[in-house]
Amino acid sequence: IEVYNRHIAHLEGSPFAVREWDELLSNGVPVWGFASDDTHRRSDAGKAWISVCTEARDGHGLMEALARGSFYASNGPTLTGITFDASRHEVTISGASSATFEMIGTGGIRLRTCENKHSATFAVQDDQAYIRFECHTGDGTAWTQPMINTAIWRGHTCQSHLRGIVYESHCS
């Protein structure tokens, strides 16, 4: 789902579809989120994008990374790492600049917030069907892909890799 579309900012309506994304995820629909500048004007070029984490620098590697959700969407901030420590049930997210990090859970509920940091570590809650993270700076927002709690959300899973760390994530 396109969680941010820069062109819509020039039209009536909201350029954001994060609420709809959370609604789909909360209802068991596995979708990745992406952002697009949807350039209709030169001034909008490069205002929203996805950053893909893949070792392979070819089309096949890119498509595999996209399929397993190894990317984040942004309209400003750069994320420098997302790690999951399975033994401690913690996720650490870091950015290139000071930011406010939020952990979002089932129903789009903000579970935790960490302000004015370059990184934040969040304890993963077992009662959430999914969690995802947002990074807010003065430049905009970055959105991670959802991490699915397979004990709650039944279905097939795949392994997603981001910055060399493995976490379990739902994919279609």
Side-chain angles (χ1 to χ4, degrees):
I1 184 170
E2 190 174 34
V3 298
Y4 179 80
N5 179 307
R6 171 68 180 174
H7 182 67
I8 301 300
H10 300 296
L11 307 173
E12 289 186 32
S14 173
F16 299 97
V18 178
R19 186 174 355 143
E20 292 81 359
W21 188 24
D22 284 316
E23 186 176 325
L24 288 168
L25 292 167
S26 296
N27 286 304
V29 180
V31 293
W32 300 138
F34 66 96
S36 168
D37 53 28
D38 193 11
T39 303
H40 291 249
R41 304 173 181 179
R42 279 185 191 210
S43 61
D44 286 340
K47 303 290 183 176
W49 60 88
I50 60 170
S51 290
V52 180
C53 183
T54 179
E55 299 275 330
R57 302 287 182 181
D58 58 29
H60 181 72
L62 177 65
M63 294 306 291
E64 282 186 346
L66 291 171
R68 68 175 180 262
S70 291
F71 65 96
Y72 69 89
S74 182
N75 67 1
T78 298
L79 299 181
T80 56
I82 303 169
T83 59
F84 176 60
D85 182 333
S87 66
R88 298 181 66 147
H89 294 275
E90 291 180 339
V91 174
T92 300
I93 182 169
S94 54
S97 60
S98 185
T100 296
F101 296 96
E102 294 182 316
M103 181 170 68
I104 313 296
T106 306
I109 297 170
R110 275 149 181 72
L111 302 170
R112 302 271 189 286
T113 301
C114 187
E115 297 180 352
N116 300 317
K117 303 285 184 185
H118 278 82
S119 67
T121 299
F122 297 93
V124 175
Q125 296 178 257
D126 291 337
D127 63 342
Q128 298 297 308
Y130 72 91
I131 56 170
R132 60 178 187 76
F133 299 89
E134 293 183 3
C135 170
H136 304 280
T137 68
D139 294 330
T141 302
W143 300 267
T144 69
Q145 299 311 315
M147 299 171 70
I148 305 303
N149 181 344
T150 56
I152 293 175
W153 188 340
R154 302 289 182 228
H156 65 282
T157 61
C158 67
Q159 294 294 310
S160 290
H161 302 270
L162 188 56
R163 300 283 178 220
I165 304 301
V166 178
Y167 60 84
E168 192 153 277
S169 184
H170 196 78
C171 65
S172 56

PDB file of all heavy atoms in Angstrom, residues 19 104 156 171:
ATOM      1  N   ARG A  19      -3.350   5.139   8.177  1.00  0.00           N
ATOM      2  CA  ARG A  19      -4.512   4.600   8.900  1.00  0.00           C
ATOM      3  C   ARG A  19      -5.086   3.387   8.152  1.00  0.00           C
ATOM      4  O   ARG A  19      -5.421   2.370   8.759  1.00  0.00           O
ATOM      5  CB  ARG A  19      -5.569   5.691   9.052  1.00  0.00           C
ATOM      6  CG  ARG A  19      -6.737   5.302   9.907  1.00  0.00           C
ATOM      7  CD  ARG A  19      -7.677   6.461  10.151  1.00  0.00           C
ATOM      8  NE  ARG A  19      -7.136   7.680   9.580  1.00  0.00           N
ATOM      9  CZ  ARG A  19      -7.852   8.628   8.999  1.00  0.00           C
ATOM     10  NH1 ARG A  19      -9.152   8.530   8.933  1.00  0.00           N
ATOM     11  NH2 ARG A  19      -7.296   9.703   8.489  1.00  0.00           N
ATOM     12  N   ILE A 104       4.404   1.237  16.665  1.00  0.00           N
ATOM     13  CA  ILE A 104       2.979   1.188  16.372  1.00  0.00           C
ATOM     14  C   ILE A 104       2.530  -0.268  16.419  1.00  0.00           C
ATOM     15  O   ILE A 104       3.190  -1.143  15.861  1.00  0.00           O
ATOM     16  CB  ILE A 104       2.685   1.756  14.959  1.00  0.00           C
ATOM     17  CG1 ILE A 104       3.405   3.080  14.716  1.00  0.00           C
ATOM     18  CG2 ILE A 104       1.189   1.837  14.717  1.00  0.00           C
ATOM     19  CD1 ILE A 104       3.001   4.207  15.591  1.00  0.00           C
ATOM     20  N   HIS A 156       1.368 -18.217   6.619  1.00  0.00           N
ATOM     21  CA  HIS A 156       2.745 -18.538   6.268  1.00  0.00           C
ATOM     22  C   HIS A 156       3.640 -17.355   6.589  1.00  0.00           C
ATOM     23  O   HIS A 156       3.199 -16.213   6.666  1.00  0.00           O
ATOM     24  CB  HIS A 156       2.865 -18.951   4.810  1.00  0.00           C
ATOM     25  CG  HIS A 156       2.546 -17.867   3.844  1.00  0.00           C
ATOM     26  ND1 HIS A 156       1.248 -17.491   3.553  1.00  0.00           N
ATOM     27  CD2 HIS A 156       3.347 -17.070   3.122  1.00  0.00           C
ATOM     28  CE1 HIS A 156       1.277 -16.515   2.678  1.00  0.00           C
ATOM     29  NE2 HIS A 156       2.529 -16.226   2.392  1.00  0.00           N
ATOM     30  N   CYS A 171       4.652 -12.476   4.709  1.00  0.00           N
ATOM     31  CA  CYS A 171       4.679 -12.035   3.317  1.00  0.00           C
ATOM     32  C   CYS A 171       3.770 -12.913   2.496  1.00  0.00           C
ATOM     33  O   CYS A 171       3.409 -13.995   2.892  1.00  0.00           O
ATOM     34  CB  CYS A 171       6.096 -12.062   2.751  1.00  0.00           C
ATOM     35  SG  CYS A 171       6.813 -13.688   2.628  1.00  0.00           S
TER      36      CYS A 171
END
